Structure formats: C-alpha cells, structure tokens
Amino acid sequence: MNQDARQKMIVKEAREFAAEVLRPRAGAFDREESLPRDVIDEMAKRKFLLASLPEAYGGLGLDPVYYGLFTEEIGKACCSTRGLITVQNSLVGETLLRWGSEEQKTRWLLSVDRGEMLGAFALSEPEIGTDARGVQTRYQIDGKDYVLNGRKKWISFGEIAGFFIVIASRESEITAFIVERDRPGVSVYPIKGLLANRAAHLAEIEFKDVKISGDNVIGKPGSGFTFIVGTALDHGRYSIAWAGVAIAQEALDCMASYARKRKQFGRKIGEYQLIQRMICNAVTQTHAARALCVKAGEMRIQGDSQAVAETTIAKYFTSKIAMGIASDAVQVHGGSGCSNRYPVERLFREAKLLEIIEGTSQIQQQIIAKYGLRAYGRIQKD
Amino acid sequence: MNINESVRNFIESNLIAFDDDFTIDDDDNIFESGFVDSSVAMQLVVFVEGEFNIQVTDEDLDLVNFSTINRLVQFINKKNNN
C-alpha cells in the first residue's frame, strides 16, 4: 500500500471511530465535563494521540494535510476529543519531536503512545494570556538543577496529564521544562463551569519550590519563547485552523439536514430564500476555509518558510467563519437550537473558543497585517 | 547567489519596513531592530533548513545564531562544515 492510500485509510478509520464512538457520546462528555478513560485508551490503542509523528515515536506518520483531514474528522464529532489530539500531537508531541533530546523523545513520546500518561502544555497564567513573553512563573538555578515557582491556568488536560511542558522565566530569559506531575510541590486544581471544551479536563497548576533536573530542559535555557513556544503555537494554530473547519462543516451538516426536514407555513424551511442564504454562506465559507488549511498543509509539507504565516491566516479565517456558521445553524434550528438536545447548541459554544485559543483573533489580525505590509505592494529590487 | 545574498534576500523580504529603500547591514541585530516579529525566528529556522539542506537541532537553539546576517552565514557555514 502506498503512503497516500495508507493515510487515506487512517482518515477513514478516524471518520468511522468518530461516527461510532464520539458523536453519539459527545453531548454526554460535555454535560459530564469529562472525557472518559475508555475513549482515551482506545485512541491511544489506535495511535491517534500522536497521529502526525513518525512511527518510531509512536505516531502514524500522517503528513500535515492528512493530519488536518484527520483532525477535521475527530473535531466534527467532538471538540473536546479534538482538543486531546491538539494537545498531545500538536503542542506536546510536535514540540518534543522538534526540539527534545533523543532521551526526552523516547521517554515522553513513547509514554503518550503507550497510553501510560498524557502530556499538557503549560503556558497561560492567571495574569498572562496573549502577552506570553511576560510569564510570571519563575525558575532559579540550583547547581545543575532548577527550582520552579508559579501558577499556570487554563491548561487543557492538565487535570489528568502525567507531565507538563512548563514555560517559565528568569529575568529576561524564558525556558521550557518538562515537569512530572508527581514531583513534590506540584498541585493540580480542575477548572469547571466552562463555556466550551468542557470535557478537556482544564486545570490550574501550582508549582511550589519544584526541583527539576537539568535533563528536563527542552532545547537550551533561554530558547523557551522564540523557539519552543513558537513551535508549539505554530502547530497548535494549524490544529485549531482545522478545528474551525470541523465545526463549520458539522454546523453546516446540521443546518442542511434540519432545513430539509423542518416545515413552516406548509413548506420545508430549506425552500425559503433567507434560509438558503445562510446555507449558501456556510457552504462557500467552509469550502474556502478548508482550501486555506490544505494550502497551509501543503506549504508545511514543502518546508516553505511562509507556512507559518499561511497557518495564521487559516486559523484566523476558519475560527471566524466557524463562529458565524454555528450561529446561523442555531438560527436555522430556532428554539431547538437553544437546547442541548441538539448538537448546534454545543457547536455554537465551541466555535467561540476557537477565536480565543492559540492566539486571539485580534493577535492573528496584527500578525497577518504585518505579513501583508512586508509581503505586498513593495517595489521589486533588481 | 552566495549564502550572504540568499540570507539577506530572505531577511529583507521579511522586514516590516515602511521605506522601500530600507537596507540592513550585515551586523545589524534584526530582532533588536524592531523590524521583525518573533515568528520570523521560526521562519528563519525553516528557511535555513530548506535552503541549505541542514538540520537545526536543540543544540543550536541560541537566538544569537539567527540575530544578524553575518551570524547566520557563520552558523550555516559551521553546520555545513560539520
């Protein structure tokens, strides 16, 4: 079987898994604010948690485009489960694969692969979100070791992760550390009552005089922001870009299906032009969003240095249109759309989150504007 | 095109400069100049790996290696010689 056929088969397997296991239970995961262990174990067994990583590190070797299509299949059925993929694969997996030492890769990636423990990426703090360079979690040097103090917040899967990639600072230097959950001084506090990603086991994590070995530094001391956070956010944005396509497509499916069945004034509501206008916009925007993501994925395959910018454009666009389409899907459903008995109610909440995580839409706009200012309308030099 | 010209072309095409005639010296620190944002560092990694067929590893993660045209040229030469 060639690489293309093999990857297509994995995406098909993800679609079937989503249809059989995730979609029927996604509402319950959301209400119970928990992704059950049996689902996580099954995904680990299928090697879904590190799908884009090489097989040597427990992955399935999906290239960026197929990884995106895979993410879309999972994300259409359950946003929190897609969040599990984003964190394990894009934030933790890709970061360790790119900048971890061979020992770190073998130890931590294979632990995730075997389903022994999950990882989490700990960047945000109670007072630090977008301004990630200002992290207030501090580290001190203690001989060959490091001592961590501080607090992280909104950490997806932090509640159940076995290790964290923690971004901390010392004066103007920012460094990334791998911190085991069972280290003395680590405390985990689950966060409940969320708008979205309710089953993604978000947590606040406190570090009190936590001693860490120098072997747990990722890359070099001081490389934490520019390279480690840069890598994680780039991969995270790529994953969230596809998450936007997933919500847009699922909301469109729900909207079209409902409009074909629901009758008002003796006619199917899909026959009314104002409903058709919403469906038209959803179709056009979803197709455009997917095309942007595929382009970003192809540029990533080619090692194009502008793939970072294209990924940002895709993330900004897909999260924006996902919100609009999910809102229209609720509108088409009318009163039913406001009930958690219909998936569109959940999709509407989940869509909002995509405009915030992995860089707010406002930050994406600034990055994209700067890209436009340097890329377009310049006088060509000979 | 030699390494210096190739690196210069890439950096100049990624500067946010409002003056089309703006130029950068070989020893100007691009990150301190305010003409690039942090995402350019990652783009530089992808660029040097693709353009010069080298692998940037965790041992190379020092922003100094990527901070000026001359530093980048030295870094690429060092990696190629290894």
Side-chain angles (χ1 to χ4, degrees):
Chain A
M1 189 184 295
N2 68 30
Q3 272 294 80
D4 207 46
R6 188 185 70 82
Q7 295 188 90
K8 266 186 191 154
M9 225 174 74
I10 293 166
V11 174
K12 183 171 173 278
E13 185 191 336
R15 188 181 312 129
E16 290 164 357
F17 174 77
E20 289 162 20
V21 179
L22 300 179
R23 194 171 280 105
R25 296 170 68 186
F29 299 162
D30 182 64
R31 285 190 297 278
E32 290 158 19
E33 300 188 58
S34 176
L35 194 60
R37 194 67 227 187
D38 68 284
V39 173
I40 299 170
D41 288 345
E42 181 60 27
M43 291 179 73
K45 198 171 131 195
R46 291 169 183 259
K47 297 195 172 289
F48 281 179
L49 299 183
L50 299 173
S52 76
L53 268 60
E55 291 175 49
Y57 295 111
L60 292 168
L62 293 182
D63 72 30
V65 171
Y66 277 107
Y67 173 61
L69 296 170
F70 166 85
T71 302
E72 182 186 344
E73 294 299 343
I74 301 292
K76 279 196 291 191
C78 176
C79 203
S80 290
T81 309
R82 190 274 313 145
L84 177 69
I85 302 283
T86 299
V87 173
Q88 303 313 306
N89 197 117
S90 300
L91 295 178
V92 172
E94 293 282 6
T95 303
L96 284 174
L97 179 71
R98 188 68 179 87
W99 300 122
S101 65
E102 201 48 48
E103 192 190 343
Q104 289 170 344
K105 288 180 206 174
T106 307
R107 180 172 176 195
W108 300 107
L109 292 178
L110 293 183
S111 294
V112 174
D113 167 49
R114 289 191 291 261
E116 290 167 1
M117 62 172 79
L118 298 176
F121 194 81
L123 173 62
S124 299
E125 299 181 351
E127 302 300 328
I128 296 294
T130 300
D131 182 16
R133 206 182 274 274
V135 287
Q136 293 170 359
T137 297
R138 304 281 186 232
Y139 67 88
Q140 294 167 297
I141 297 170
D142 181 15
K144 287 184 177 175
D145 295 330
Y146 296 83
V147 179
L148 265 187
N149 278 288
R151 206 171 180 92
K152 296 291 181 180
K153 198 173 181 182
W154 314 120
I155 309 308
S156 295
F157 293 91
E159 183 188 354
I160 57 173
F163 69 97
F164 314 103
I165 293 179
V166 180
I167 310 301
S169 67
R170 177 176 165 270
E171 294 164 6
S172 62
E173 192 177 82
I174 297 179
T175 300
F177 300 92
I178 300 169
V179 182
E180 298 91 333
R181 181 203 184 90
D182 56 8
R183 288 250 163 206
V186 176
S187 304
V188 175
Y189 306 95
I191 301 174
K192 301 294 179 190
L194 295 161
L195 173 75
N197 252 9
R198 289 178 176 171
H201 297 276
L202 267 73
E204 196 162 343
I205 304 159
E206 185 183 41
F207 304 94
K208 227 173 195 175
D209 294 326
V210 178
K211 203 163 186 177
I212 310 156
S213 153
D215 294 340
N216 284 21
V217 171
I218 304 175
K220 278 187 169 178
S223 65
F225 186 81
T226 308
F227 297 104
I228 312 297
V229 174
T231 299
L233 288 186
D234 174 46
H235 283 282
R237 279 174 191 160
Y238 184 65
S239 180
I240 299 304
W242 281 98
V245 176
I247 288 185
Q249 183 64 61
E250 188 75 0
L252 169 58
D253 285 340
C254 292
M255 192 193 302
S257 169
Y258 194 80
R260 276 199 299 268
K261 289 181 200 142
R262 173 80 168 168
K263 270 188 175 176
Q264 290 292 282
F265 304 105
R267 293 165 68 188
K268 299 281 174 66
I269 63 170
E271 294 179 55
Y272 294 113
Q273 288 183 337
L274 286 177
I275 299 290
Q276 289 179 357
R277 179 177 181 267
M278 286 190 269
I279 294 172
C280 156
N281 286 341
V283 171
T284 309
Q285 291 170 354
T286 303
H287 286 210
R290 189 178 290 105
L292 263 179
C293 287
V294 168
K295 186 186 173 197
E298 285 170 346
M299 289 171 78
R300 297 170 86 88
I301 292 172
Q302 289 154 8
D304 189 319
S305 60
Q306 299 306 322
V308 176
E310 203 66 25
T311 298
T312 303
I313 294 167
K315 192 271 179 186
Y316 168 62
F317 185 76
T318 69
S319 57
K320 187 182 169 79
I321 63 107
M323 185 71 250
I325 295 170
S327 174
D328 280 351
V330 170
Q331 193 69 25
V332 168
H333 280 68
S336 298
C338 302
S339 160
N340 67 1
R341 294 182 65 186
Y342 289 80
V344 291
E345 179 269 342
R346 178 165 39 83
L347 294 170
F348 178 73
R349 290 186 282 105
E350 303 284 14
K352 183 67 226 171
L353 188 73
L354 301 188
E355 295 187 302
I356 296 168
I357 57 174
E358 261 72 12
T360 62
S361 289
Q362 288 67 36
I363 279 292
Q364 312 300 326
Q365 284 173 304
Q366 287 186 35
I367 295 170
I368 295 164
K370 285 177 184 171
Y371 167 76
L373 284 167
R374 65 180 185 248
Y376 297 115
R378 300 179 96 161
I379 296 165
Q380 294 297 315
K381 291 176 184 173
D382 294 329
Chain B
M1 196 184 298
N2 65 31
I3 295 175
N4 182 295
E5 287 168 340
S6 181
V7 168
R8 169 176 289 283
N9 273 355
F10 180 82
I11 288 177
E12 286 188 343
S13 67
N14 282 285
L15 291 175
I16 306 161
F18 287 87
D19 178 0
D20 283 338
D21 295 326
F22 177 84
T23 55
I24 190 161
D25 291 334
D26 285 350
D27 289 313
D28 284 347
N29 187 313
I30 59 167
F31 297 106
E32 289 172 3
S33 70
F35 293 117
V36 299
D37 55 35
S38 60
S39 69
V40 169
M42 283 306 301
Q43 291 179 332
L44 272 169
V45 170
V46 178
F47 165 72
V48 297
E49 287 188 332
E51 189 75 14
F52 304 104
N53 200 27
I54 59 177
Q55 178 75 37
V56 179
T57 70
D58 54 321
E59 292 297 316
D60 304 318
L61 286 189
D62 192 336
L63 201 54
V64 170
N65 286 331
F66 301 87
S67 60
T68 71
I69 292 171
N70 272 341
R71 289 278 191 178
L72 264 159
V73 172
Q74 284 168 18
F75 173 69
I76 293 160
N77 283 331
K78 188 178 130 199
K79 294 292 284 187
N80 277 334
N81 290 337
N82 288 341

